[in-house]
Amino acid sequence: MQNSVSVVYCINMSCQYCDRRFGSFSDKIGRCTQCMVQLVVMNAFIWPLWWWLYRDIPTSVESIALLFAGTASAGLLMLHLLLYPFRKKYNSDKTEDKESGL
């Protein structure tokens, strides 16, 4: 009997900047515009593709997979966009404190 080694690949959606700087998922949300642009591009491809190919057969496996991917990427984009103004304000307040010596 052969020894089988299972290899697990982890797909990381965040950019290299976010991977180096922030640890947990909640720290990454709303901080990086590169990640937000990536999500916009994903949504720009997924939703028209579903509409063009699978809107007539929404119960097929391919249609459900595209709907799931589109919903997940749209939800993550909405989460980024909702938290972006708060993170931006928090980061600007922090840099002002550093500049003033507090």
Side-chain angles (χ1 to χ4, degrees):
M1 182 181 273
Q2 293 180 344
N3 291 338
S4 63
V5 176
S6 63
V7 178
V8 177
Y9 293 100
C10 181
I11 299 173
N12 196 353
M13 291 297 297
S14 59
C15 67
Q16 292 177 359
Y17 171 74
C18 289
D19 284 338
R20 283 190 306 248
R21 185 147 186 217
F22 308 111
S24 68
F25 174 75
S26 61
D27 291 340
K28 296 177 186 179
I29 296 294
R31 291 190 190 267
C32 184
T33 55
Q34 182 178 350
C35 295
M36 290 182 224
V37 168
Q38 181 181 5
L39 287 168
V40 167
V41 170
M42 284 175 59
N43 279 306
F45 282 112
I46 290 174
W47 289 111
L49 183 67
W50 178 83
W51 183 260
W52 184 49
L53 296 176
Y54 297 109
R55 69 181 163 138
D56 296 334
I57 47 172
T59 56
S60 71
V61 173
E62 297 88 358
S63 175
I64 293 169
L66 273 176
L67 283 172
F68 182 74
T71 304
S73 65
L76 188 56
L77 179 62
M78 288 300 293
L79 194 61
H80 270 290
L81 293 175
L82 287 173
L83 291 177
Y84 183 69
F86 299 109
R87 300 281 181 146
K88 191 172 183 179
K89 181 182 183 320
Y90 175 73
N91 287 340
S92 66
D93 290 346
K94 211 172 195 179
T95 56
E96 288 174 5
D97 290 343
K98 284 182 183 178
E99 290 172 358
S100 66
L102 296 176

